[in-house]
């Protein structure tokens, strides 16, 4: 028998373009960081001063770290219904909404109307923050705009969320609410008809339909989607092959390289930086960091947006090709 604090229903956030936008931003800033680093190391020709390169490297590097954190937060959004509370998860934060204190659970737009501003942080398809409304502060943890958000209200606060199967979520919430024998007062928990009346045109399954769908999938859901997608496997294999070949190439060439090498040429094609052959190893090491970071993000992205995983793996291959070009220019 499940305890009142155990998770009875776990809902993912509705898929949106927010993950793809975040992953694209990570790729752009990570590539900028790598290019700035290559310029600082003198691997690629650059007319930009060292001070500017350092500034670009630090800013883009910090932005990359922040964006990676936000993207991980996006893919961690979820909503758990227990016997006592609704747990709203984002990143390492968990908000607890007491079920016995609910006064409303239904479409947010029906209550908030036009009070929500057009822009919400962080970007389209990814909304996390605290908004001021006539009801008071509303904590938003959602992947859909206000027209597709559910509002949970208690006497202690308000939360806006966007579960992937809102009818199933509200169905389970109503069941949990009815389990409280000491239920005092009334609470409005919306259903399929209420969502349709609010303009939700998509067909959302009920709790029983969602359970049947989950049973039909069986153990297949335990296999990461990335590992079952042929194109993702091809891109990942190509990336690993390019990375491994870089290390093999340097191992073979290491004994033949002079102790000192030209690492950078200026805009006129003249060498302006000399370094030891050991410094060349920085390139595949940087490539290794990039591939591990992008593959980790691709695994997260594949569960919601397959194209985002392709974008990350394709960007990884581009970075590895650029590193290969730099290696050939330096060593040959």
């Amino acid at each position: 028998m499940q305890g009142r604090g155990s998770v009875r229903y776990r809902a993912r956030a509705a898929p949106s373009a927010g993950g793809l936008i975040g992953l694209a931003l990570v790729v752009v800033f990570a590539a900028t960081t790598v290019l700035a680093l290559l310029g600082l190391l003198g691997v690629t020709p650059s007319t930009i001063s060292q001070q500017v390169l350092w500034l670009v490297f630090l800013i883009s590097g910090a932005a990359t770290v922040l964006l990676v954190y936000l993207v991980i937060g996006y893919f961690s959004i979820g909503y758990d219904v227990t016997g006592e509370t609704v747990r709203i998860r984002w990143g390492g934060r968990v908000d607890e909404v007491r079920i016995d204190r609910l006064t409303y659970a239904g479409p947010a737009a029906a209550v908030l109307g036009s009070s929500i501003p057009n822009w919400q942080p962080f970007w389209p398809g990814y909304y996390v923050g605290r908004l001021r409304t006539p009801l008071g502060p509303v904590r938003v943890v959602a992947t859909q705009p206000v027209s597709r958000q559910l509002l949970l209200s208690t006497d202690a606060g308000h939360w806006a969320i966007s579960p992937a199967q809102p009818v199933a979520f509200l169905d389970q919430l109503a069941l949990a609410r009815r389990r409280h024998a000491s239920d005092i007062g009334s609470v409005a928990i919306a259903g399929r008809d209420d969502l349709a009346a609010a303009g939700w045109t998509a067909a959302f399954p009920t709790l029983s339909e969602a359970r049947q769908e989950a049973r039909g999938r069986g153990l297949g859901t335990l296999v990461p989607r990335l590992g079952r997608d042929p194109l993702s496997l091809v891109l990942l294999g190509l990336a690993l092959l390019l990375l491994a070949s870089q290390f093999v190439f340097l191992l073979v060439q290491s004994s033949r390289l002079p102790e000192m090498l030209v690492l950078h040429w200026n805009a006129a094609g003249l060498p302006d930086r000399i370094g030891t052959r050991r410094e060349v190893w920085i390139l595949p090491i940087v490539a290794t960091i990039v591939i591990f970071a992008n593959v980790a993000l691709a695994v997260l992205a594949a569960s919601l947006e397959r194209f985002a995983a392709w974008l990350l793996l394709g960007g990884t291959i581009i970075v590895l090709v650029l590193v290969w070009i730099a290696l050939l220019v330096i060593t040959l």
Side-chain angles (χ1 to χ4, degrees), residues 182-197:
S182 59
D183 191 14
I184 301 175
S186 61
V187 55
I189 297 181
R192 184 193 297 270
D193 294 338
D194 299 295
L195 295 182

Side-chain angles (χ1 to χ4, degrees), residues 197-210:
W200 294 44
T201 57
F204 297 107
T206 62
L207 179 61
S208 59
E209 292 168 344

Side-chain angles (χ1 to χ4, degrees), residues 257-304:
L257 295 176
E259 184 61 33
M260 305 301 293
L261 292 168
V262 176
L263 299 178
H264 189 267
W265 291 263
N266 60 26
L270 299 175
D272 61 0
R273 182 178 174 186
I274 306 295
T276 66
R277 61 186 179 188
R278 287 188 296 274
E279 293 182 54
V280 182
W281 286 95
I282 294 177
L283 288 172
I285 291 174
V286 170
T288 302
I289 296 173
V290 170
I291 191 173
F292 272 103
N294 281 5
V295 168
L297 290 172
V299 171
L300 291 173
S303 62
L304 292 179

